[in-house]
Amino acid sequence: MLYLALLLGIVFIVITDKLTQAFKLSGIWVVLGQIYAALAISIVGNLSVSHITIGNTFELGYLTIPFTILFLVGFTNVINLEKVHNPSILLLPIVSFVCLSILAYIMGNLFVVIIGFCSCLVMLSILLYSYFSGKVIVGRTLTTTIGFIIAVLSLSLIKASIVNIYIPIFTLALPFTLYYWMKDKFTSVYAITVSIVTAIVFSVLMFIVPFYMLWYFVVGLTILLVITQSSRKYRII
């Protein structure tokens, strides 16, 4: 049922996004579409996080559904691009999908392996098509859909360990934020290259650093990132 729920979620996102663009509707409709997509994953796909394990186990109880929706909608919009961008930006989510697929294979999560591998093939096909045809087709609908798929796969792995939240944050969210910050200050190619190298470095660390140390790294670097945003001088988000 999880495959069906993922398909339903993608349909909700694509339809609401296209209708919003066609009729110039308020952005709230896009968010509503994403919430319905998240509910499809949680209810139809029966995928949600009811507890968080960090040494001890913390039950979420009534916060299970709200946490699931917040997580899915939040990461769905990580690479939400309003305008058409260089297709090479797709290399960032490809790194995340590869990282997710490898970890899922190690953990024995067949759903994430299959969807992650298929998503990589689709994006590589888009990159090749854009390269040979010269047409740029990377817009908001595509990037939002990619973000939603990554959110679902990440949520599936987070059920096993909250430490796996490292993947969407440090192989996608942080590198993409870096790209968004650099693209107006440097050339697009330079910004994409630095962002991709950053994503690859963080993805490699995932398989080198022990999980218990990785959690301290996640918390520490996230706190540091939040603190730096309080100063305009260092703000990148």
Side-chain angles (χ1 to χ4, degrees):
M1 291 298 289
L2 191 50
Y3 293 95
L4 175 61
L6 180 61
L7 179 61
L8 284 174
I10 292 173
V11 169
F12 280 133
I13 287 175
V14 172
I15 290 178
T16 53
D17 194 73
K18 289 297 184 182
L19 289 176
T20 301
Q21 293 182 51
F23 296 101
K24 302 185 185 306
L25 301 176
S26 170
I28 189 64
W29 292 101
V30 174
V31 177
L32 285 175
Q34 295 172 4
I35 291 175
Y36 278 120
L39 287 173
I41 294 297
S42 181
I43 298 173
V44 179
N46 194 29
L47 177 62
S48 59
V49 178
S50 58
H51 64 275
I52 295 176
T53 303
I54 313 174
N56 296 321
T57 300
F58 301 92
E59 295 292 337
L60 293 178
Y62 292 112
L63 295 177
T64 296
I65 298 299
F67 175 84
T68 301
I69 293 174
L70 182 63
F71 180 91
L72 290 174
V73 173
F75 280 103
T76 293
N77 291 286
V78 164
I79 55 172
N80 189 349
L81 300 173
E82 292 294 332
K83 299 179 181 179
V84 174
H85 278 248
N86 190 323
S88 298
I89 195 65
L90 291 181
L91 290 172
L92 277 177
I94 286 177
V95 172
S96 297
F97 277 124
V98 170
C99 192
L100 284 165
S101 299
I102 294 174
L103 185 61
Y105 178 77
I106 296 172
M107 297 173 64
N109 191 319
L110 188 60
F111 168 75
V112 176
V113 173
I114 293 174
I115 299 300
F117 179 72
C118 291
S119 298
C120 282
L121 290 180
V122 170
M123 283 188 291
L124 286 172
S125 300
I126 293 174
L127 279 171
L128 289 173
Y129 173 78
S130 299
Y131 177 78
F132 288 109
S133 67
K135 296 179 180 179
V136 181
I137 56 175
V138 181
R140 189 177 71 183
T141 302
L142 177 61
T143 54
T144 304
T145 302
I146 292 172
F148 176 70
I149 296 173
I150 289 178
V152 173
L153 300 189
S154 299
L155 189 67
S156 182
L157 294 184
I158 285 173
K159 287 190 68 176
S161 173
I162 189 64
V163 179
N164 292 326
I165 199 173
Y166 173 95
I167 299 176
I169 292 178
F170 292 99
T171 67
L172 183 64
L174 184 60
F176 182 75
T177 301
L178 183 63
Y179 161 77
Y180 217 71
W181 176 66
M182 295 180 65
K183 72 180 183 68
D184 294 327
K185 298 177 173 58
F186 304 95
T187 64
S188 178
V189 174
Y190 182 80
I192 290 175
T193 301
V194 172
S195 301
I196 292 170
V197 170
T198 302
I200 293 173
V201 169
F202 278 118
S203 65
V204 171
L205 286 177
M206 179 77 190
F207 302 100
I208 297 177
V209 180
F211 258 38
Y212 73 93
M213 291 181 61
L214 200 62
W215 174 246
Y216 293 116
F217 179 74
V218 170
V219 174
L221 201 54
T222 301
I223 292 174
L224 180 63
L225 185 63
V226 171
I227 292 174
T228 57
Q229 302 317 293
S230 62
S231 171
R232 289 189 176 183
K233 181 179 179 180
Y234 302 104
R235 186 173 298 166
I236 61 176
I237 299 177

